[in-house]
Amino acid sequence: MSPSTTTRNNEKSAQIFERALTLLPGGVSSPVRAFGAVGGTPPVITSAEGAYVHDVDGNRFLDFVGSWGPLITGHAHADVVAAIQAAVARGTTFGAPTPNEVELAARVTDAYPGLEKVRFTSSGTEATMSAIRVARGFTGRDLLVKFAGCYHGHADHLLVQAGSGLVTFGAPSSAGVPAAFTEKTLVIDLDDEQGLEALFAEHGAEIAAVIIEPIPANNGLLVQRREFLQRVREITREHGALLIFDEVINGFRVARGGAAELFGITPDLATFGKVIGGGLPVGAFGGSAEVMDILAPLGPVYQAGTLSGNPVAMAAGLATLDLLEKGEGWAQLEKLGAELEALLTPILESAPIPARLVRVGSIFWVSWQAGDPPRRADAIDCKAADYYRQIFHGLLEQGVAIAPSAYEVGFLSLAHTSEHLATFAEALRKTLATLTV
Ligand code: PMP
């Protein structure tokens, strides 16, 4: 179904979005929301509850985007809302130490392997940017290694693509980023021990840190082999570089101790966002006391934030973690994930195009190509994007919202039920049955 043949009433959304286009670049506050990859007008959302979002035209969508990951308890969970309301009533920000930030810090350090101290930020971008600064300050080295296909926020030196050749210094992937800003960032492929070893053989003594999403979830879901992650752990240790796990998506989602717990691999630094903010703007980064105490005011690495550790945001995070911990949330999410997998697998197997479900706990993605799901970014077949447009709109027409890009993952929440999953599966079956290939 093409975007122009929508049967749903989207008159008000279209009007507001038209106005948005004159006032906000692309009509949005973050690019992928603009539906650039799938076409059409995005529904303009006014409210959400549990597993559903509602738009200005009165349409209701069963939501598998979850605001791109934070809403692990679902939209507007009563406990999270109550915690936020109570915190707001006490004041929105103090610019001073608060009990909530100490409590959330205790919860994060208790949950995550090797973590002794954390610092809160207001976004995941700030968390990764700051963790890298800490690694550089701690090691006294400049080079950063990242993997093609991993996203770590939009700091200048992270908006980088691999140059040509096996071991290359990065080139900016965004206008407005001077080449000089990315020349200390080396980009290599995931799932490639040899590339990693070649890089360290050449530059090992200058590498401050390797940053990786241990379960890369920003370019499809590129599930890594444990042996590869283990090799990344070993080689960084051998060369005195720090290993940073970017757990902004994975943290408190795939397990209480994030991907580190799942793989049994402990990084030197970890970054968080999304789930720990319970839907409010929170990021965090942490490590051992020895590493983290290099931060101001104790040490020479500067990092700060007017709204960092915001008491309302901390309250939302704490309420979210409470729900996950008390309700055995991670076991419940795994159960839902397994159920979704069982429902979707036969539907995808009989689809008119090759398709395979990839899933880690409550994170899922469909690999629209033949063979084993890809483990690295350049193994993804770009043709999928053409089909995806039809699939996305086919689902939206039936009231099911998935991410408006073939490269973005889906998220389950504690608000999803077996019925919701069955609705999704049936909508997908119908959509694939009418796919034009
Ligand atoms: N790291 C990862 C792994 C992410 O997925 C994201 C956001 N999608 C970020 C960092 C940046 O977080 P934010 O958008 O909160 O700045």
Side-chain angles (χ1 to χ4, degrees), residues 68 122-126 128 151-154 213 218 246-249 274:
W68 307 91
S122 298
S123 67
T125 293
E126 288 171 87
T128 56
Y151 178 71
H152 305 292
H154 61 90
E213 288 179 80
N218 277 290
D246 181 350
E247 300 252 17
V248 167
I249 285 182
K274 305 203 189 248

Side-chain angles (χ1 to χ4, degrees), residues 358-433:
V358 186
R359 178 184 75 86
V360 180
S362 57
I363 309 176
F364 65 93
W365 179 65
V366 176
S367 163
W368 301 102
Q369 64 194 57
D372 287 340
R375 295 191 192 282
R376 42 192 271 182
D378 60 1
I380 298 180
D381 183 347
C382 306
K383 275 204 308 291
D386 298 338
Y387 308 126
Y388 193 80
R389 176 186 285 256
Q390 291 182 58
I391 295 161
F392 172 83
H393 283 288
L395 287 172
L396 203 64
E397 286 300 304
Q398 297 177 75
V400 174
I402 58 170
S405 159
Y407 295 93
E408 300 285 352
V409 297
F411 294 103
L412 296 174
S413 78
L414 294 175
H416 286 117
T417 63
S418 299
E419 262 183 7
H420 293 138
L421 303 185
T423 301
F424 179 20
E426 180 54 15
L428 184 65
R429 193 190 59 72
K430 281 194 190 148
T431 300
L432 290 174

Side-chain angles (χ1 to χ4, degrees), residues 41 55 92 163 245 256 265-266 283 316 318 371 433:
T41 300
D55 74 7
T92 51
F245 271 4
R256 182 166 171 266
I265 297 175
T266 304
L318 282 169

Side-chain angles (χ1 to χ4, degrees), residues 29 41 61-62 64 150 259 268 279 306 309 337 422:
S29 299
T41 300
F61 303 97
L62 178 57
F64 293 96
C150 285
D268 299 298
T306 301

